[in-house]
Amino acid sequence: MKLSDYVFSRLKEWGVCHVFLVTGGGAMLKNLDRRIREETGLPVSIADEPLASVVLGTGKMLTDFKLLRRIAIE
């Protein structure tokens, strides 16, 4: 079993609809979502407003220290 098959099956069990959400400048690259989908076999979505989503997400992280601590890489 490929890793992508395993991960996708687990995410489906958990009810996750999207695996990759492409944001920022990368979301503006033509066909990046298609390439990721082809390479991984996993579903990909592009944020509605990719540039704004980066700013809004960063702002949220800077104001929610509990959330920031939870996802911080040590």
Side-chain angles (χ1 to χ4, degrees):
M1 173 182 273
K2 292 184 349 184
L3 179 60
S4 61
D5 294 336
Y6 171 77
V7 170
F8 186 60
S9 66
R10 292 299 306 252
L11 291 171
K12 281 175 59 177
E13 288 174 21
W14 298 333
V16 174
C17 298
H18 303 288
V19 175
F20 288 98
L21 178 63
V22 184
T23 64
M28 302 173 82
L29 295 173
K30 185 176 182 178
N31 297 321
L32 178 64
D33 57 329
R34 183 175 56 96
R35 178 64 186 252
I36 294 171
R37 191 177 305 112
E38 288 172 356
E39 292 292 326
T40 65
L42 300 171
V44 179
S45 291
I46 294 180
D48 292 333
E49 296 183 41
L51 296 178
S53 63
V54 172
V55 173
L56 295 171
T58 301
K60 185 171 185 169
M61 292 305 305
L62 293 174
T63 59
D64 188 344
F65 291 112
K66 288 181 184 178
L67 181 57
L68 183 59
R69 274 192 225 106
R70 217 171 64 216
I71 67 156
I73 299 172
E74 296 188 22

